[in-house]
Amino acid sequence: MTATSTQALRTRAVRTGGLSLRLDLRAFTVVVLLLVCALAASVVLIGTGDFPIPAGDVLKTLFGGGDAGQEFIVNELRLPRVLVGLLVGAALGLGGALFQSISRNPLGSPDVLGLSQGSTAGALVMIVLFSGSATAVTLGALVGGLVTGLAIYLLAWKQGVHGYRLVLVGIGVSAVVTAVNGYLITKADLVDAARAVVWMTGSLNGRDWTQVWPLLALCAVLLPLVLANARGLRMMEMGDDVSYALGVRVERVRLLLMVAAVLLTSAATAAAGPVGFVALTAPQLARRLTRSPGPNLVPSLCMGATLLVTADWASQRAFGADQLPVGVVTGVLGGVYLLWLLVTERKAGRI
Amino acid sequence: MSDQGNQNDQSGLSSGLNNRRSTVNRLSAENVTLAYDQRVIARELSVEIPDNSFTVIVGPNACGKSTLLRALSRMLKPNEGRVLLDGQVIQSMPAKKVARTLGLLPQSSIAPDGITVGDLVGRGRYPHQGILRQWSQEDERVVQESMAQTGVAELADRYVDELSGGQRQRVWIAMALAQQTPLLLLDEPTTYLDIQHQIDVLDLCAELHEEQGRTLVAVLHDLNHAARYATHLIALREGAVIAQGAPSDIVTAELVEEVFGLRCQVIDDPETGTPLVVPAARKARTAQARTDHRKVAATKAP
């Protein structure tokens, strides 16, 4: 029985009483490593800036042992920014994994489906037409994302939502909204236009605790909801008919998870702007690391958080504090990664 | 071989069905009207699946075979009428409870990228699992057993994408078996397989039926396969049951002509003694078309 022994190498069943779980050891290791990376990058990121603080001091301050100056810089200025980065990355990673799995298409990420553009449109309306406050812009982006998500769902709905239709409708919606965004920018005066463009690149500059709490609350509500439905989503990879035959309430699970994914990506975009490519690349990278079929939700979430914080650190390191918005770095990294992916897939004969 | 009076039997059967509805049989459709959007496929169709039978549904393309199977497996909600499983309307039952009683192998199944055989078969355990009970020893045992029964145990660690069509179909059947349902519905399980693998899959189905007492319902294209393997045959045309019963009782040249519009001989299968449909030669059929008004009866073996 080589079958069982190698199977046992990869996965381990954990059973106590009525509880039984199957643990994918490789995926579990990947998650732990990614979490360690994300935390390490966060500590380094908190220490990075015009006033550098060694990692040891950062840790000491975080646990309440630093001096007053360090305490102010760490806890009031940099910690909320890093937390926003972690949460935005996690939300984008998870949202991207959900969308890619629901659409059964690696390109079915929120950037491609037009959700980010929808959030941008909401934010631009606030900036350009109303010269709104930061809060108004955040709300506008949130509403824009939700409305776009709803529009895509309704347009793609025909006796259920199917993968390729979702992607095609999303691309169409994305084109329309991008055109609207272009129009809004050309209408804007110079100050508003500059503000709009900075927002559109996606940045963590000047994020504080008022951004952290709503995002944290949303993730705390949505994450258990999403994970409770993850097993159904796993089944849905095999097609609607098979999963339906297995007793998954397909349309219900899909609607619930799509709403969760739209909320996650809209909230993330509202908090940090449309940070490009994280939602597209994080699930793909996570999948290649775990080498496990299935939506890989938790690994994607951890990968998103790690990616965003690392990209922010890289941009600060290379260009100095607050010089380069993180969206530029993720865009470049994500674009390069996507090209690499396409080239290797082509070599493997799959495209 | 076959009796000539199946027309009478038929009317007797269908009225009989209405009288003794859901006496014992676990799965039945009662006066269902089936439609996709506005396109009606079948009107007031009633079908009973005899318990412990290997029922095969046959009929020409677009006669509603697969649609009926979808309705029986609650994929398609009837516009009118109802599908009963164990005396309950199937739509009103909890999804997982149905999935523990009735399995379906649809035509459109997608093997996820990079999934192994063992993992795919394991997914058939979904209706028996819950958030706390995700992988019990029972799950493990049933998966091993299902793979052994379908002869894919030694492929457990292989990727599904690497397998041949016949092997892949066996893996999907193993997944459906792992669901441990007394009733199993198969939608054209032999499509896209070469003749050897078609027989292979049908042998497997017969085994599951005979040795494990499962009730099987399959849609098949090949009438001869249907006649050879089925214990109960349902012939559909334009969404209506034309005949049903044991293949040796109902498969006649008249029935084949009525259902498929094909002139043929029905002879005894030299291997099994079941009816074997041999289409008439092209010349004979074109000659018949010309003299159709004379109502030449379908020929029988001399």
Side-chain angles (χ1 to χ4, degrees):
Chain A
M1 293 298 281
T2 51
T4 36
S5 59
T6 38
Q7 193 79 356
L9 268 183
R10 187 172 160 78
T11 61
R12 178 148 305 163
V14 184
R15 298 189 183 106
T16 47
L19 182 83
S20 64
L21 297 170
R22 187 152 65 154
L23 206 60
D24 186 327
L25 291 181
R26 190 179 168 108
F28 183 74
T29 316
V30 166
V31 165
V32 170
L33 287 179
L34 283 174
L35 281 178
V36 170
C37 284
L39 292 181
S42 303
V43 170
V44 176
L45 183 56
I46 290 175
T48 311
D50 290 336
F51 184 82
I53 305 171
D57 286 356
V58 171
L59 282 174
K60 206 164 73 185
T61 315
L62 284 177
F63 289 107
D67 61 49
Q70 284 180 341
E71 196 142 313
F72 176 73
I73 292 175
V74 170
N75 289 344
E76 291 307 314
L77 297 181
R78 293 185 188 165
L79 180 60
R81 176 198 168 112
V82 170
L83 285 178
V84 169
L86 285 171
L87 287 169
V88 164
L92 288 176
L94 183 59
L98 285 171
F99 265 115
Q100 291 182 18
S101 181
I102 289 170
S103 65
R104 298 194 190 103
N105 190 325
L107 287 178
S109 86
D111 324 37
V112 178
L113 295 185
L115 279 176
S116 315
Q117 288 84 341
S119 293
T120 308
L124 286 184
V125 165
M126 285 302 172
I127 294 173
V128 174
L129 299 184
F130 299 104
S131 295
S133 66
T135 320
V137 172
T138 306
L139 280 178
L142 195 62
V143 172
L146 295 180
V147 168
T148 314
L150 184 70
I152 295 170
Y153 186 81
L154 290 180
L155 287 172
W157 205 91
K158 187 197 168 202
Q159 312 253 299
V161 170
H162 294 278
Y164 77 97
R165 193 159 56 223
L166 189 71
V167 174
L168 287 180
V169 166
I171 289 173
V173 169
S174 166
V176 173
V177 180
T178 306
V180 171
N181 290 348
Y183 172 76
L184 285 171
I185 295 247
T186 56
K187 282 279 133 190
D189 65 46
L190 211 54
V191 179
D192 285 344
R195 194 177 157 210
V197 169
V198 169
W199 191 88
M200 283 168 69
T201 325
S203 161
L204 295 174
N205 294 345
R207 297 299 184 269
D208 58 29
W209 288 103
T210 52
Q211 266 99 13
V212 174
W213 297 123
L215 207 52
L216 190 65
L218 192 75
C219 289
V221 173
L222 290 180
L223 190 60
L225 192 74
V226 167
L227 291 183
N229 285 283
R231 289 172 54 253
L233 184 66
R234 228 171 125 79
M235 299 301 137
M236 279 157 59
E237 282 186 322
M238 297 184 287
D240 286 2
D241 285 357
V242 175
S243 40
Y244 203 57
L246 286 172
V248 180
R249 278 168 292 180
V250 175
E251 210 47 51
R252 196 188 108 124
V253 171
R254 182 154 41 210
L255 179 63
L256 213 134
L257 291 180
M258 263 190 77
V259 169
V262 168
L263 280 170
L264 283 167
T265 44
S266 302
T269 313
V275 182
F277 275 116
V278 173
L280 180 72
T281 46
Q284 295 294 322
L285 283 174
R287 198 186 174 83
R288 269 158 186 78
L289 286 181
T290 63
R291 288 201 204 134
S292 153
N296 280 303
L297 295 179
V298 176
S300 303
L301 178 149
C302 298
M303 178 57 89
T306 311
L307 213 62
L308 199 74
V309 176
T310 314
D312 195 33
W313 173 75
S315 83
Q316 294 212 15
R317 193 72 219 196
F319 298 94
D322 299 348
Q323 292 302 305
L324 187 71
V326 65
V328 174
V329 180
T330 58
V332 170
L333 285 180
V336 168
Y337 166 70
L338 186 67
L339 290 175
W340 173 78
L341 188 72
L342 289 174
V343 168
T344 50
E345 297 269 294
R346 194 157 91 181
K347 275 189 190 141
R350 271 176 296 214
I351 292 181
Chain B
M1 181 173 42
S2 56
D3 61 331
Q4 293 293 317
N6 80 69
Q7 298 289 349
N8 298 336
D9 275 17
Q10 227 181 288
S11 47
L13 245 176
S14 49
S15 64
L17 283 182
N18 285 340
N19 294 337
R20 57 176 175 85
R21 65 143 219 83
S22 70
T23 38
V24 273
N25 291 329
R26 303 187 68 173
L27 183 63
S28 61
E30 272 186 0
N31 297 319
V32 288
T33 296
L34 306 174
Y36 294 112
D37 290 330
Q38 298 303 311
R39 200 158 54 87
V40 176
I41 308 289
R43 242 178 247 289
E44 310 223 331
L45 178 64
S46 291
V47 165
E48 288 228 12
I49 305 300
D51 286 347
N52 305 105
S53 68
F54 183 172
T55 297
V56 174
I57 306 173
V58 292
N61 288 340
C63 70
K65 309 184 287 279
S66 293
T67 311
L68 174 61
L69 205 70
R70 290 181 74 83
L72 288 174
S73 58
R74 61 132 166 54
M75 301 270 163
L76 181 69
K77 194 174 185 294
N79 289 19
E80 278 164 52
R82 53 194 193 160
V83 171
L84 295 177
L85 177 63
D86 292 333
Q88 277 181 281
V89 176
I90 199 164
Q91 259 83 20
S92 69
M93 296 170 72
K96 276 194 170 179
K97 192 179 170 203
V98 175
R100 286 194 293 265
T101 316
L102 183 145
L104 171 79
L105 189 62
Q107 283 185 64
S108 59
S109 39
I110 308 159
D113 280 341
I115 196 168
T116 58
V117 169
D119 199 353
L120 187 71
V121 176
R123 290 189 176 192
R125 296 300 295 163
Y126 179 81
H128 299 271
Q129 295 165 337
I131 202 122
L132 295 179
R133 188 183 169 285
Q134 296 194 358
W135 194 248
S136 65
Q137 265 156 357
E138 172 75 356
D139 292 334
E140 192 130 9
R141 187 185 64 75
V142 173
V143 167
Q144 291 299 333
E145 210 175 85
S146 308
M147 289 196 295
Q149 276 164 13
T150 48
V152 295
E154 58 283 12
L155 304 175
D157 285 331
R158 293 270 300 276
Y159 290 111
V160 177
D161 330 329
E162 302 172 346
L163 304 181
S164 72
Q167 288 173 322
R168 212 174 297 162
Q169 190 62 306
R170 280 178 164 267
V171 171
W172 283 109
I173 293 175
M175 193 206 78
L177 287 189
Q179 217 175 318
Q180 280 191 307
T181 57
L183 286 137
L184 182 56
L185 276 51
L186 306 125
D187 195 359
E188 300 194 14
T190 54
T191 316
Y192 306 124
L193 299 181
D194 58 34
I195 181 93
Q196 178 212 344
H197 288 110
Q198 289 182 19
I199 296 297
D200 196 51
V201 164
L202 289 169
D203 280 349
L204 177 61
C205 291
E207 238 172 77
L208 296 174
H209 165 246
E210 279 165 25
E211 284 163 28
Q212 300 182 12
R214 298 196 200 225
T215 305
L216 259 61
V217 185
V219 167
L220 290 183
H221 259 305
D222 191 315
L223 197 51
N224 288 328
H225 287 167
R228 186 182 264 207
Y229 285 92
T231 62
H232 184 80
L233 198 64
I234 298 175
L236 284 186
R237 198 191 67 194
E238 287 166 13
V241 176
I242 304 297
Q244 53 183 325
S248 52
D249 292 341
I250 66 163
V251 178
T252 59
E254 290 83 357
L255 179 76
V256 176
E257 178 145 22
E258 189 184 352
V259 173
F260 291 92
L262 177 75
R263 219 155 68 93
C264 65
Q265 294 184 34
V266 174
I267 57 173
D268 285 341
D269 186 325
E271 286 284 332
T272 56
T274 51
L276 184 67
V277 175
V278 182
R282 188 168 66 92
K283 276 182 186 157
R285 278 184 286 119
T286 43
Q288 195 231 4
R290 265 181 246 121
T291 55
D292 213 17
H293 59 281
R294 274 187 249 158
K295 301 253 187 295
V296 176
T299 54
K300 290 197 72 178

